[in-house]
Amino acid sequence: MCTASNYITDKHYFGRNFDYEISYNERVTITPRNYEFKYRKINDVKSHYAIIGIAAGIDEYPLYYDACNEKGLSIAGLNFEGNAVYNDCEKNMVNIAPFELIPYILSSASTVFEARKLLDEINLVDINFADELPLSPLHWMLSDNSGKSIVVEPLEDGLKIYDNPVGVLTNNPPFDKQLFTLNNYRNLSNRNPENT
């Protein structure tokens, strides 16, 4: 099971593990500021923030699993099998494919607050990257160096955006249920238990 987390001290640390049984030849990938991102349903972007992350480089398009831009905004996409729902294109919305979400957000947002404003206009559309590479069911965690964190989930009743006070996300279940499940661990402590 994959898990993403952030850790805020005087620095911002963001990372994730990738527990998957096959490899897509993922590697550290840097997208410089002037690399042109070509999108399926919206205008291409020629100028943007620099991005670094782990991606599968297919057809010269970085399929980012997780990444961070030069302003410190980080995002990770995690498997969301059985829950992710993608849509048809909608008028008056920014229609992007799920594999385009990470570059789209990191291209122009420098904080979680700015990303959240972009997400209000996004419609995640059901477009495969290629015939041999169908869409992955995903949800995403975003974090910035202020300690703010959100989770984005494409559910049957729309795109949900949750504040993430714990700075952790795993594959399943949906995030609201993950938060509630933390109640099971209220008694955990880093102190030695009292001998009773």
Side-chain angles (χ1 to χ4, degrees), residues 73-111:
L73 180 63
S74 303
I75 183 171
L78 301 176
N79 196 23
F80 199 41
E81 186 72 39
N83 291 298
V85 176
Y86 304 128
N87 306 308
D88 295 329
C89 288
E90 288 184 29
K91 281 187 172 182
N92 304 319
M93 295 293 286
V94 177
N95 294 294
I96 61 172
F99 59 85
E100 298 170 331
L101 182 67
I102 291 177
Y104 180 79
I105 294 293
L106 294 183
S107 290
S108 58
S110 62
T111 64

Side-chain angles (χ1 to χ4, degrees), residues 31-33 47-51 69-71 106-110:
T31 303
R33 289 186 192 116
S47 179
H48 53 79
Y49 295 133
I51 300 169
N69 69 17
E70 66 183 275
K71 298 296 183 179
L106 294 183
S107 290
S108 58
S110 62

Side-chain angles (χ1 to χ4, degrees), residues 33-139:
R33 289 186 192 116
N34 296 320
Y35 183 88
E36 185 174 9
F37 278 117
K38 296 182 181 294
Y39 294 99
R40 303 290 174 93
K41 296 294 180 182
I42 63 172
N43 293 334
D44 298 342
V45 173
K46 296 179 183 178
S47 179
H48 53 79
Y49 295 133
I51 300 169
I52 185 170
I54 301 297
I58 299 173
D59 294 335
E60 298 180 15
Y61 191 93
L63 293 173
Y64 279 110
Y65 299 10
D66 53 87
C68 180
N69 69 17
E70 66 183 275
K71 298 296 183 179
L73 180 63
S74 303
I75 183 171
L78 301 176
N79 196 23
F80 199 41
E81 186 72 39
N83 291 298
V85 176
Y86 304 128
N87 306 308
D88 295 329
C89 288
E90 288 184 29
K91 281 187 172 182
N92 304 319
M93 295 293 286
V94 177
N95 294 294
I96 61 172
F99 59 85
E100 298 170 331
L101 182 67
I102 291 177
Y104 180 79
I105 294 293
L106 294 183
S107 290
S108 58
S110 62
T111 64
V112 167
F113 178 78
E114 291 176 8
R116 194 171 195 145
K117 287 169 61 174
L118 291 174
L119 287 161
D120 287 340
E121 301 175 357
I122 286 178
N123 176 44
L124 292 173
V125 294
D126 191 4
I127 299 174
N128 291 335
F129 183 78
D131 290 339
E132 65 279 359
L133 194 58
L135 284 177
S136 296
L138 299 173
H139 60 169

